[in-house]
């Protein structure tokens, strides 16, 4: 499953992406944007990578101009007891290398990934996403993609303190 635009390719996340995944998440601006510790141990990041790679839909964002990994998009099974969790309900997560911020690449990449998720899921898809209240760039990405803002909340990021977030939702298909 691959989706492409003129500028990016969205393809499944593979083991060979680990080094770039860790490189990007070690960038201080990235840690601040996603509320994670600035100095995260490589083995912890490798654990995150394995969990992310095994999410229902895990995609690498490849810059087609420079042919390199610049970000990732993940669709995690929505939290809740399995017996009450609606089929086709996912939590969306993503990150992009800070040198690529402000160029419209993440909305383009996530939009391209929507088609892959819809093709890989039977029936309608409900998406949830959260971002730090202070992360206005991520909020703009979600708004550009047609996500509807919901109630603010608090989430516990692995290895970090609880953080205040804004929740968003969207229906696909």
């Amino acid at each position: 499953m691959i989706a492409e635009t003129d500028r990016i390719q969205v393809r499944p996340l593979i083991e060979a992406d680990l080094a770039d995944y860790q490189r990007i998440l070690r960038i201080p601006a990235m840690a601040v944007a996603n509320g994670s510790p600035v100095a995260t141990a490589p083995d912890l990041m490798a654990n995150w990578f394995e969990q992310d790679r095994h999410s229902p839909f895990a995609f690498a964002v490849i810059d087609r101009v420079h042919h390199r990994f610049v970000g990732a998009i993940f669709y995690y099974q929505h939290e809740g007891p399995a017996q009450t969790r609606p089929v086709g309900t996912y939590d969306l997560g993503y990150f992009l290398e800070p040198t690529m911020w402000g160029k419209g690449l993440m909305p383009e990449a996530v939009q391209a990934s929507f088609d892959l998720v819809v093709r890989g899921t039977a029936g309608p898809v409900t998406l949830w996403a959260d971002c730090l209240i202070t992360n206005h760039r991520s909020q703009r990405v979600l708004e550009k993609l047609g996500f509807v803002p919901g109630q603010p909340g608090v989430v516990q990021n692995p290895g970090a303190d609880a953080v205040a977030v804004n929740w968003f939702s969207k229906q696909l298909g």
Side-chain angles (χ1 to χ4, degrees), residues 129-150:
D130 68 70
C131 62
L132 296 176
I133 288 176
T134 57
N135 190 340
H136 302 290
R137 286 182 186 275
S138 191
Q139 291 176 42
R140 281 194 302 277
V141 166
L142 295 169
E143 290 165 357
K144 283 180 184 180
L145 291 166
F147 278 76
V148 177

Side-chain angles (χ1 to χ4, degrees), residues 73-88:
I73 303 167
F74 314 102
Y75 293 85
Y76 307 100
Q77 194 67 50
H78 188 66
E79 294 292 322
Q83 64 272 22
T84 61
R85 187 180 329 155
V87 173

Side-chain angles (χ1 to χ4, degrees), residues 14 19 30-31 42 55 68 88 94-95 107 114 120 132 134-135 145 148 152 156 167 169:
I14 59 174
M30 180 57 60
S55 65
R68 65 187 182 97
Y94 52 82
F95 65 82
F114 288 165
L132 296 176
T134 57
N135 190 340
L145 291 166
V148 177
Q156 180 68 48
W167 281 97
S169 63

Side-chain angles (χ1 to χ4, degrees), residues 10-28:
V10 177
R11 61 144 171 86
L13 194 64
I14 59 174
E15 286 183 52
D17 294 327
L18 174 60
D20 285 321
Y21 174 101
Q22 289 176 318
R23 175 185 56 81
I24 293 170
L25 291 180
R26 277 193 303 265
I27 299 170

